[in-house]
């Protein structure tokens, strides 16, 4: 079963972290990637640019139009994701708890099952 | 893909050759042995089409695999002392006669080692026993090849670390359940649609049936092995009728039964009947008996629902599995009317004994529809559609809801 573990981050919280904390998070992600690669559960991961870098294409009068900025006006945005393949939802949750973000108040991980896959990497 | 003429032969030989190597070198060498067998299979793929199939394919593959092992070990400086062990291999066929007895069951038990996760058991079984390549397994599961390769090598390392010995022959008290469960999981996951001409297109359901046949050949007295094989054959026999031209799901009661594979149904029914004269039916045999009753009936109306109801009660009693209760509710609805079925479903929902909310909602929706409670059925179909992780199933449930809306 493939699960997408979405990393919901709040830019304010990220900016308020000390250098040590940021380093610890970085190291934690490294360790998480190494471990899930070794177990054969990791498929891919991507980190995303800040919401200020977003463009949104949406329909206006039935034609696509581009605007600057994020899709939703919220404090939290999706900072990236891990795509894993695991035996159960319990295991996906267990893995999500090992991601450093899971131990920082104000950050969150959302675990969502994948229904369909296609592409060159599978 | 139509397999090359020697493809089936090669894949049948793979576990025999691996078992022979493991007997000689021990499970501690599992990874080296398994790699050597894979390389021998590749060599055969390359050489046999042009040079012809050797008279003794087993001996040919065993020799090729042993050569690969010798090369591997020679190139490994840390294992110089091991080379002495291989001097004896100059007569590689000296013990061929001894290992012609098929060890596939023991190999399957090793691949389904309890130390391994379910996905590792399945991947290792497909590679070591079914003789599939890592690329084929990755393709069947829509996973990157590197992920599957890593899973397999880790599984082999775990078996080595667990100090697993080559399992002794199956005794009367030994349980085969883990192996049967792995094979059935493979079957139920295995609805990869075949695009047709991709060399990596593997139908996992076919692999599972092939493995069950292998088990059944070696353990002809084992009721549950025959039950599992029959269950999968009887389910697979409906494959052509299960989807329409667009890939949309067609429920059992609307399937064109003339598309069912009658030969497979006859063979499977014989296997099952024969097994049931030998001993007590277990869960797989009971489910096979239910599948046989469906497959033998000309229509839903003429299906022996009272007998199916009895079998689901037995299955419930034997396994305590709530899915059996849910299926009993469907049979109850057919025998005693939809309200009887709904009462069972609602009791199950109240007891919160079922982990699979989607199945419960889907069954409840069908029963509400039968009972003529359309508005509730529409809600329940939509609710089930939101819970499912299968796109064809979601589309089917939404179509049922739309159909009721008129």
């Amino acid at each position: 079963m493939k699960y997408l573990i979405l990393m919901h981050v709040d830019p304010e919280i990220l900016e308020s972290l000390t250098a040590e904390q940021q380093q610890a998070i970085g190291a934690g992600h490294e360790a998480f990637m190494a471990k899930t690669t070794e177990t054969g559960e990791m498929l891919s991961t991507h980190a995303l640019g800040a919401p200020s870098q977003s463009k949104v294409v949406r329909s206006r009068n039935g034609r696509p139009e581009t605007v600057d900025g994020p899709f939703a006006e919220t404090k939290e945005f999706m900072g990236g994701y891990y795509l894993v393949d695991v035996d159960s939802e319990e295991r996906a949750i267990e893995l999500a708890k090992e991601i450093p973000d899971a131990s920082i108040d104000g950050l969150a991980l959302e675990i969502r099952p994948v229904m369909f896959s296609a592409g060159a990497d599978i | 893909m139509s397999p090359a003429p020697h493809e089936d032969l090669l894949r049948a030989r793979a576990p025999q050759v691996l078992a022979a190597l493991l007997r000689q070198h021990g499970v501690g060498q599992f990874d080296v042995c398994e790699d050597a067998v894979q390389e021998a299979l590749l060599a055969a793929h390359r050489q046999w089409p042009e040079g012809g199939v050797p008279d003794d394919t087993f001996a040919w593959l065993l020799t090729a695999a042993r050569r690969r092992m010798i090369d591997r070990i020679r190139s490994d400086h840390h294992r110089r002392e091991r080379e002495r062990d291989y001097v004896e291999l100059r007569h590689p066929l000296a013990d061929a006669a001894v290992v012609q007895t098929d060890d596939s069951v023991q190999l399957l038990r090793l691949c389904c080692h309890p130390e391994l996760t379910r996905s590792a058991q399945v991947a290792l079984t497909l590679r070591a026993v079914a003789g599939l390549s890592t690329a084929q397994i990755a393709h069947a599961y829509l996973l990157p090849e590197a992920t599957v390769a890593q899973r397999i090598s880790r599984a082999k390392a775990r078996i080595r670390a667990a100090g697993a010995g080559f399992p002794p022959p199956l005794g009367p008290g030994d349980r085969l359940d883990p192996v049967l469960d792995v094979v059935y999981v493979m079957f139920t996951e295995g609805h990869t649609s075949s695009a047709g001409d991709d060399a990596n297109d593997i139908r996992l359901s076919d692999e599972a049936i092939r493995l069950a046949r292998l088990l059944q050949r070696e353990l002809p007295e084992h009721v549950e092995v025959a039950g599992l094989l029959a269950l999968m054959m009887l389910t697979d026999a409906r494959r052509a009728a299960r989807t329409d031209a667009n890939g949309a799901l067609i429920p059992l009661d609307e399937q064109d039964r003339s598309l069912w594979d009658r030969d497979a149904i006859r063979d499977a029914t014989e296997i099952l009947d024969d097994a049931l004269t030998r001993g007590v039916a277990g869960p797989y045999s009971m489910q096979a008996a239910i599948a046989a009753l469906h497959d033998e009936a000309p229509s839903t109306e003429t299906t022996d629902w009272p007998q199916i109801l009895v079998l689901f009660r037995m299955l419930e009693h034997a396994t305590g599995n709530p899915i059996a209760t849910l299926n009993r509710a469907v049979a109850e609805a057919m025998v005693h009317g939809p309200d009887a079925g709904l009462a069972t479903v609602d009791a199950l929902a109240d007891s919160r004994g079922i982990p699979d909310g989607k199945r419960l909602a889907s069954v409840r929706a069908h029963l509400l529809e039968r009972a003529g409670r359309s508005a509730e059925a529409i809600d329940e179909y939509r609710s089930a559609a939101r819970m499912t992780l299968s796109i064809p199933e979601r589309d089917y449930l939404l179509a049922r809801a739309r159909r009721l809306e008129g």
Side-chain angles (χ1 to χ4, degrees), chain B residues 137-391:
Chain B
I137 300 166
H139 186 81
Y141 280 97
L142 298 175
L143 291 171
E145 208 177 318
T147 302
V148 174
Q150 174 57 22
R151 242 174 235 189
I152 288 169
S153 67
R154 187 169 194 262
K156 289 192 270 196
R158 282 195 89 122
I159 286 181
R160 202 176 49 232
F166 200 59
L170 197 69
D174 288 326
R175 306 206 56 114
L176 253 189
D177 302 13
V179 174
L180 299 182
D181 292 346
V182 166
V183 172
Y184 193 53
V185 161
M186 201 182 285
F187 178 81
T188 52
E189 286 174 341
H191 295 299
T192 321
S193 59
S194 264
D197 54 359
D198 185 326
N200 281 335
D201 270 337
I202 293 298
R203 216 192 275 276
L204 290 170
S205 48
D206 291 346
E207 295 308 319
I209 289 173
R210 184 198 294 260
L211 288 168
R213 276 192 198 283
L214 185 82
L215 277 170
Q216 204 242 344
R217 259 203 314 275
E218 290 192 51
L219 303 167
E221 301 295 315
H222 201 292
V223 179
E224 276 296 82
V225 168
L228 173 65
L229 174 59
L231 170 62
M232 296 192 299
M233 287 170 73
L234 290 160
T235 309
D236 198 58
R238 303 181 208 135
R239 193 165 68 197
R242 201 180 296 133
T243 50
D244 69 11
N246 304 318
L249 294 179
I250 303 171
L252 190 63
D253 58 349
E254 293 174 23
Q255 285 176 18
D256 174 356
R257 296 183 181 220
S258 69
L259 297 175
W260 291 359
D261 182 345
R262 290 289 147 201
D263 292 346
I265 292 169
R266 195 193 52 243
D267 292 350
T269 308
E270 271 174 27
I271 290 168
L272 180 66
D273 289 348
D274 180 58
L276 292 176
T277 59
R278 293 171 194 277
V280 182
Y284 286 118
S285 315
M286 291 176 200
Q287 291 175 78
I290 292 163
L293 288 169
H294 282 301
D295 287 8
E296 287 160 6
S299 67
T300 311
E301 294 70 34
T302 52
T303 303
D304 189 350
W305 288 104
Q307 183 62 33
I308 289 177
L309 181 53
V310 169
L311 285 161
F312 273 126
R313 283 191 200 286
M314 284 168 62
L315 189 62
E316 239 181 308
H317 187 71
T319 63
N321 188 331
I323 298 291
T325 312
L326 203 49
N327 286 318
R328 164 169 59 96
V330 177
E332 271 172 336
M334 297 306 289
V335 177
H336 302 299
D339 289 343
L342 280 166
T344 299
V345 171
D346 292 342
L348 188 61
D350 291 342
S351 73
R352 300 192 179 282
I354 189 152
D356 192 347
K358 167 207 71 174
R359 295 267 289 264
L360 188 123
S362 166
V363 167
R364 193 161 182 274
H366 281 94
L367 296 183
L368 286 166
E369 181 178 350
R370 269 184 185 282
R373 291 156 64 178
S374 299
E376 292 166 87
I378 290 167
D379 285 348
E380 201 70 73
Y381 277 128
R382 293 221 168 100
S383 160
R386 278 192 295 271
M387 285 187 247
T388 183
L389 293 174
S390 147
I391 291 173

Side-chain angles (χ1 to χ4, degrees), chain A residues 1-2 37-43 85-87 113-117 121-122, chain B residues 117-120 138 141-145 147 150-151 154 388-391 394:
Chain A
M1 276 293 304
K2 290 180 196 164
T37 302
E38 198 277 324
T39 58
E41 289 170 306
M42 157 85 141
L43 300 184
D85 183 77
V86 289
D87 277 353
V114 172
M115 273 178 89
F116 174 81
S117 301
D121 60 339
I122 55 166
Chain B
T117 61
R118 181 48 53 88
S119 50
Y141 280 97
L142 298 175
L143 291 171
E145 208 177 318
T147 302
Q150 174 57 22
R151 242 174 235 189
R154 187 169 194 262
T388 183
L389 293 174
S390 147
I391 291 173
R394 182 195 62 191

